[in-house]
């Protein structure tokens, strides 16, 4: 049972346009959400996070939106750059959990075309 | 800041041998480190949670006698794949959560590519 789902395995966007990556979750106990970027044969790099007390968090070109009622979050990248091409994973966590483990989605391969 | 290293970056071994992978937090202390495994084009699957000074907590389906985890200090955790078989070939990634981290960010190492012949 996948608790965190990224239904789009891939996304192609033209340079300069907006990239929107989506993520859905089923566990209502999740209260902290993160996005990671990963290149092949490397570990994931933390991008941005959001607590469930917020519905939006912005950091430069990256904005994460959280819709708790829909159990949905999205990552917006604008403007998209060729260097943004990578696999993007969303992850979710329960803050009150002792280990605060992350549950990852399956990832979305973003390709930004020059 | 928040750099995590892994060693080795890739290893090729014969079936039946044991392989040790080290995970170090270079500029912060971490009471909790995590070990993940990633198959090609799949997500990161949590294998175990490693706590400094105590036994690791393994996820369902992960053999603790096969994947030995030692978290000897606040900056070092090791994963030993014992009696490796070709099906253990995978990309192993560790992560660490800083000691004073209020939220749940984990910082990941660069990963270790294990190939068992």
């Amino acid at each position: 049972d996948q608790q965190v789902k990224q239904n789009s395995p891939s996304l192609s966007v033209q340079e300069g346009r907006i990239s929107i990556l989506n993520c859905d979750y089923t566990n209502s106990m999740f209260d902290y959400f993160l996005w990671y970027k990963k290149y092949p044969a490397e570990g994931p790099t933390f991008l941005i996070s959001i607590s469930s007390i917020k519905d939006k968090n912005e950091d430069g070109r990256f904005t994460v939106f959280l819709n708790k009622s829909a159990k949905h979050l999205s990552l917006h990248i604008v403007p998209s750059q060729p260097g943004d091409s990578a696999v993007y994973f969303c992850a979710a966590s329960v803050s009150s959990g002792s280990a605060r483990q992350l549950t990852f989605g399956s990832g979305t391969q973003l390709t930004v075309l020059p | 800041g928040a750099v995590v290293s892994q060693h080795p970056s890739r290893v090729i071994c014969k079936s039946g041998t044991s392989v040790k992978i080290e995970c170090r937090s270079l500029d912060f202390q971490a009471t909790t480190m995590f070990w993940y495994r990633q198959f090609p084009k799949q997500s990161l699957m949590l294998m175990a949670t490693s706590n400094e000074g105590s036994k690791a907590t393994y996820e369902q389906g992960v053999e603790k006698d096969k994947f030995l985890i030692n978290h000897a200090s606040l900056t070092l955790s090791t994963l030993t794949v014992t009696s490796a078989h070709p099906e253990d070939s995978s990309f192993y990634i560790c992560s660490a959560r800083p000691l004073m981290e209020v939220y749940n960010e984990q910082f990941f190492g660069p990963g270790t590519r294990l190939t068992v012949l």
Side-chain angles (χ1 to χ4, degrees):
Chain A
D1 175 34
Q2 267 191 297
Q3 297 187 65
V4 179
K5 298 179 184 180
Q6 292 176 258
N7 291 318
S8 297
S10 63
L11 173 69
S12 290
V13 171
Q14 207 69 36
E15 181 179 5
R17 307 293 289 268
I18 184 170
S19 296
I20 300 176
L21 299 121
N22 294 302
C23 180
D24 298 291
Y25 61 97
T26 58
N27 188 344
S28 57
M29 296 295 291
F30 288 143
D31 60 0
Y32 198 74
F33 305 89
L34 308 91
W35 284 94
Y36 284 86
K37 175 181 179 180
K38 186 180 182 301
Y39 294 112
E42 293 185 12
T45 302
F46 171 73
L47 271 179
I48 192 168
S49 61
I50 188 167
S51 164
S52 61
I53 62 174
K54 294 185 175 182
D55 54 18
K56 176 183 175 181
N57 188 25
E58 190 173 351
D59 183 1
R61 296 187 297 116
F62 302 93
T63 303
V64 56
F65 294 92
L66 175 62
N67 183 334
K68 288 188 292 295
S69 61
K71 293 191 178 69
H72 176 85
L73 65 154
S74 61
L75 174 68
H76 293 210
I77 306 173
V78 58
S80 301
Q81 300 172 353
D84 295 330
S85 297
V87 177
Y88 288 78
F89 290 97
C90 71
S93 178
V94 178
S95 297
S96 60
S98 58
R100 291 181 280 160
Q101 297 163 343
L102 297 179
T103 301
F104 283 86
S106 53
T108 297
Q109 171 71 57
L110 172 65
T111 302
V112 179
L113 305 168
Chain B
V3 178
V4 177
S5 70
Q6 266 182 258
H7 178 78
S9 58
R10 64 175 61 233
V11 56
I12 300 173
C13 68
K14 292 183 178 180
S15 186
T17 60
S18 294
V19 174
K20 180 187 281 189
I21 303 170
E22 290 187 350
C23 178
R24 293 181 186 273
S25 55
L26 297 185
D27 52 0
F28 65 96
Q29 293 182 323
T31 52
T32 305
M33 290 184 171
F34 303 87
W35 287 95
Y36 295 84
R37 184 173 179 178
Q38 186 186 27
F39 292 103
K41 299 191 177 182
Q42 293 189 25
S43 185
L44 284 76
M45 300 302 299
L46 179 66
M47 298 175 64
T49 301
S50 167
N51 295 297
E52 187 265 338
S54 64
K55 290 184 179 180
T57 303
Y58 290 83
E59 295 301 299
Q60 192 173 14
V62 179
E63 298 176 59
K64 62 180 181 180
D65 294 329
K66 180 166 186 61
F67 298 100
L68 300 178
I69 291 172
N70 185 290
H71 194 153
S73 75
L74 287 173
T75 59
L76 173 64
S77 176
T78 60
L79 168 68
T80 302
V81 183
T82 62
S83 187
H85 289 284
E87 58 265 30
D88 298 325
S89 298
S90 190
F91 192 58
Y92 292 86
I93 309 174
C94 73
S95 71
R97 189 172 62 231
L99 186 62
M100 298 306 294
E101 184 58 59
V102 176
Y103 295 111
N104 299 351
E105 285 87 351
Q106 294 175 19
F107 297 93
F108 286 80
T112 297
R113 169 69 61 192
L114 170 63
T115 304
V116 184
L117 302 176

